[in-house]
Amino acid sequence: MDHARSDIEDSVARRAANTAIAVALRAFLRLCALLPTRLLSFFASCAGRLVWPLNTTARRITEYNLAIAFPELPIAELRCLAKASVLNLFRSAADLGSSWSWPAERILDRFSSVVGDEHLHAAFAENRGVILMLPHMGNWEVIGTYVATRYPVT
């Protein structure tokens, strides 16, 4: 009986911890959405620079993947690319608050230019379907807002 009670208590504790993390994350993202973009980017870059020396899993995986993708590059250059990638990950994560909570018009106001939109326009004008394949780099989620406000999306 004690073993069953312990399992239940562990389950309740895990659920409470997960709920607390989710609430904290939502609050953090809402706070991020309130900050000016440049200030948010600065804070995110600072956080990334503080975390970089900790040799996190994200850093190790990034360094490993870059070494596979670019075996010809010297280690110093791979590390530089990995650090830039991890810093960008922090900026992208901080940017999620605005991506998820701002109205579409406000998100779209941040676009300075879009390259290749004429191809989408031409395809839809000819009633052809389009499959978008995007790199998972930066805050790629905003492209969904951009496309959905201009074209039929399923």
Side-chain angles (χ1 to χ4, degrees):
M1 188 70 156
D2 287 335
H3 184 62
R5 172 175 255 160
S6 177
D7 286 347
I8 292 171
E9 289 171 353
D10 287 348
S11 177
V12 169
R14 275 194 306 277
R15 182 174 289 154
N18 289 340
T19 300
I21 290 169
V23 168
L25 184 57
R26 279 195 191 111
F28 174 74
L29 290 176
R30 288 187 190 271
L31 174 64
C32 288
L34 296 174
L35 295 175
T37 303
R38 287 184 186 210
L39 183 61
L40 180 61
S41 181
F42 171 76
F43 285 150
S45 293
C46 289
R49 284 184 179 87
L50 289 171
V51 170
W52 174 256
L54 300 178
N55 196 23
T56 62
T57 301
R59 174 183 170 173
R60 288 190 303 274
I61 289 171
T62 301
E63 287 176 333
Y64 179 79
N65 288 341
L66 286 170
I68 291 171
F70 303 106
E72 73 282 359
L73 291 181
I75 298 274
E77 198 167 339
L78 287 171
R79 282 233 165 91
C80 186
L81 278 173
K83 184 175 183 179
S85 176
V86 169
L87 292 179
N88 192 55
L89 175 67
F90 273 79
R91 284 191 294 271
S92 294
D95 208 28
L96 288 176
S98 58
S99 299
W100 291 349
S101 63
W102 286 1
E105 302 80 36
R106 187 168 177 196
I107 292 170
L108 297 175
D109 284 345
R110 296 174 65 190
F111 281 73
S112 57
S113 66
V114 176
V115 177
D117 187 53
E118 67 277 6
H119 303 293
L120 282 173
H121 186 72
F124 280 107
E126 295 173 12
N127 205 24
R128 291 185 291 145
V130 175
I131 297 174
L132 291 176
M133 295 181 9
L134 306 169
H136 198 149
M137 298 170 54
N139 191 353
W140 57 272
E141 292 183 351
V142 297
I143 194 66
T145 301
Y146 177 82
V147 172
T149 57
R150 287 166 173 70
Y151 305 103
V153 177
T154 57

